[in-house]
Amino acid sequence: WSLLNQMGNLLKVLTCTELEQGPNFFLDFENAQPTDCEREVWNQVNTVLQDSESILSGLQAYKGAGQEIRDAIQNPNDMLLQERAWNSVCPLVIRLKKFYSFSLRLEKALQSLLESLTCPPYTPTQHLEKEQALAKQFAEILHFTLRFDELKMRIPAIQNDFSYYRRTISRNRINNMNLDIESEVNNEMANRMSLFYAEATPMLKTLSTATTNFVTENKTLPLENTTDVLSTMASVCKVMLETPDYTSRFNSEDTLLFCMRVMVGVIILYDHVHPNGAFNKSSKIDMKGCIKVLKEQPADNVEGLLNALKFTTKHLNDESTPKNIRTMLQ
């Protein structure tokens, strides 16, 4: 997480006056160590985050069984080819189950963080200031989520492999074949995985559902406590990105990308959780400023992020979204 350290240096230099409308503190991503109050939640979330890189490299290495499946379908009577396709698909399905199970762990981690960062008597800004190590973990979850979904969008094989798997299973049920893999991925699990992978951005959907559920389950907690955590983080990232003094000190492009991903991630979450969304005039996020900052980056770096704002937000096409914001995202 050296990029987080670099980001820490920058967040240290954010001062009260430079964040006109924004929060008057900085997040120290570099040295943020959990305090005693944070430690329990931090440890719990950390065990989840520790696995995130291996999940991403597993997804990146996903090659799919397209050829084997095509051969099997074109030669339905060639048992050898049927077997080869099946043997190629099974380990892939086990891997897909691992990714899906990770999304469930991530959901729990996110809810623990939200609980800590929103509980009374402190304001969201005070929470982010006091619990910097948890704020950093929150940013890491968003960063992971956007990277996972960017990769997943480029792998159409996932859904092809999985539907071939399901078709084969149901065919074999008719022939009373008992398959070992069904103890790993039973019908109910396969249904849930199907829904997960049918989403364009499955991890983001997981997070926004988790955040919405968090708000619904905590009836005594004002919605603003949750959404203000998100809008505060968005404005901290935006200020860092739009201030040449800070961006010129980034040691690596990864730091810029980290900042952009976290900003886009919190915007999308905010848009799903806040009844009025992120785009309308009453939103606490300066959407125009955020989009402008993204558009100033090299197109290759932001294409995926702009698409995420276009296609995975909820309220962009509402009547209440100002025309100029819609035009910026066209």
Side-chain angles (χ1 to χ4, degrees), residues 1 52 61-62 67 78 84 98 115 145 221 229 231 256:
W1 290 103
S52 64
Y62 192 98
Q67 191 57 54
D78 186 329
R84 183 183 299 165
K98 190 177 150 200
E115 222 160 273
T145 296
L221 192 72
V229 169
S231 54
L256 261 181

Side-chain angles (χ1 to χ4, degrees), residues 153-316:
M153 278 184 191
R154 297 192 206 123
I155 312 178
I158 288 179
Q159 274 163 287
N160 298 337
D161 295 345
F162 200 65
S163 53
Y164 176 80
Y165 168 76
R166 300 207 70 182
R167 287 198 307 274
T168 310
I169 287 268
S170 54
R171 235 197 350 262
N172 289 335
R173 263 203 206 97
I174 301 163
N175 307 336
N176 288 326
M177 278 173 66
N178 201 350
L179 300 165
D180 295 344
I181 190 165
E182 284 204 78
S183 59
E184 287 257 10
V185 181
N186 61 20
N187 202 33
E188 189 200 347
M189 171 60 86
N191 284 335
R192 292 202 308 248
M193 284 168 66
S194 262
L195 290 171
F196 178 75
Y197 288 110
E199 292 290 340
T201 50
M203 285 290 172
L204 209 50
K205 181 75 169 104
T206 301
L207 291 199
S208 64
T209 307
T211 310
T212 308
N213 290 346
F214 172 79
V215 171
T216 344
E217 283 157 22
N218 292 279
K219 296 213 178 353
T220 55
L221 192 72
L223 169 77
E224 271 61 40
N225 283 33
T226 304
T227 51
D228 286 359
V229 169
L230 304 176
S231 54
T232 303
M233 285 191 79
S235 75
V236 169
C237 290
K238 179 182 83 79
V239 168
M240 287 179 50
L241 288 164
E242 69 190 1
T243 312
D245 281 2
Y246 304 152
T247 46
S248 64
R249 296 182 217 173
F250 283 155
N251 293 332
S252 107
E253 203 186 5
D254 285 350
T255 315
L256 261 181
L257 287 173
F258 179 90
C259 230
M260 292 190 278
R261 282 203 184 99
V262 172
M263 181 178 79
V264 168
V266 283
I267 290 169
I268 295 168
L269 269 190
Y270 184 100
D271 192 54
H272 279 267
V273 176
H274 200 290
N276 307 328
F279 295 97
N280 73 359
K281 289 199 166 66
S282 68
S283 155
K284 289 193 182 171
I285 296 178
D286 166 16
M287 282 308 302
K288 225 167 99 186
C290 290
I291 297 168
K292 192 170 155 285
V293 160
L294 289 174
K295 293 207 134 176
E296 285 161 359
Q297 308 298 328
D300 288 355
N301 287 352
V302 292
E303 192 190 357
L305 295 174
L306 290 169
N307 282 339
L309 287 176
K310 267 186 249 184
F311 303 122
T312 63
T313 46
K314 194 174 172 183
H315 295 279
L316 175 63

Side-chain angles (χ1 to χ4, degrees), residues 20-32:
E20 294 110 13
Q21 329 79 348
N24 61 349
F25 74 98
F26 55 84
L27 287 167
D28 183 356
F29 278 150
E30 183 181 34
N31 303 309

Side-chain angles (χ1 to χ4, degrees), residues 143-155:
H143 187 235
F144 163 80
T145 296
L146 272 91
R147 285 158 76 206
F148 183 95
D149 288 347
E150 276 168 24
L151 285 171
K152 186 263 176 187
M153 278 184 191
R154 297 192 206 123
I155 312 178

